[in-house]
């Protein structure tokens, strides 16, 4: 296999195919495990910064849902539906 950098995906048959395969992989479709090189047959390591980012987003979503369901959240929503503001959340 030979890898070469090219300036774009247009008019290069092999590059067009690689682009198509990359899009399939990004959408969740992958090769059969037995067709993969041995190094790719086991799960890839987890990115700790990405795991932390996903976890923090989950916490933010839960906090927003709880705020919206709280008595105070329901009352303040009549005053300003955007509450709690990012500034308020940062202070808290």
């Amino acid at each position: 296999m030979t890898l070469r950098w090219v300036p774009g995906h247009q008019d290069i048959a092999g590059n067009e195919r690689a682009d198509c395969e990359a899009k399939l992989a990004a959408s969740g479709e992958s090769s059969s495990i037995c067709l993969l090189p041995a190094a790719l047959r086991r799960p890839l390591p987890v990115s700790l910064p990405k795991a932390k980012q996903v976890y923090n987003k989950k916490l933010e979503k839960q906090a927003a849902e709880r705020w919206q369901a709280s008595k105070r959240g329901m009352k303040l929503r009549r005053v300003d539906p955007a509450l709690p503001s990012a500034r308020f959340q940062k202070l808290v």
Side-chain angles (χ1 to χ4, degrees):
M1 176 166 73
T2 302
L3 296 175
R4 291 191 183 121
W5 180 85
V6 293
H9 294 289
Q10 298 177 342
D11 302 327
I12 299 171
N15 203 24
E16 290 292 333
R17 172 109 190 266
D19 186 49
C20 181
E21 294 296 326
K23 287 178 182 174
L24 287 173
S27 70
E29 294 186 34
S30 183
S31 302
S32 170
I33 296 277
C34 63
L35 297 176
L36 293 174
L40 298 177
R41 290 182 187 170
R42 56 188 173 275
L44 295 173
V46 175
S47 163
L48 292 179
K50 183 62 178 178
K52 183 178 177 182
Q53 181 184 36
V54 169
Y55 181 70
N56 285 338
K57 286 285 182 192
K58 180 181 173 184
L59 290 179
E60 287 175 16
K61 183 179 177 189
Q62 287 177 348
E65 289 170 354
R66 288 180 181 170
W67 170 261
Q68 293 294 330
S70 72
K71 289 181 183 180
R72 181 175 288 171
M74 288 183 205
K75 289 179 183 178
L76 287 175
R77 195 173 326 136
R78 287 183 253 158
V79 176
D80 185 356
L83 290 174
S85 68
R87 184 168 182 248
F88 172 79
Q89 289 177 335
K90 201 172 204 177
L91 289 170
V92 172

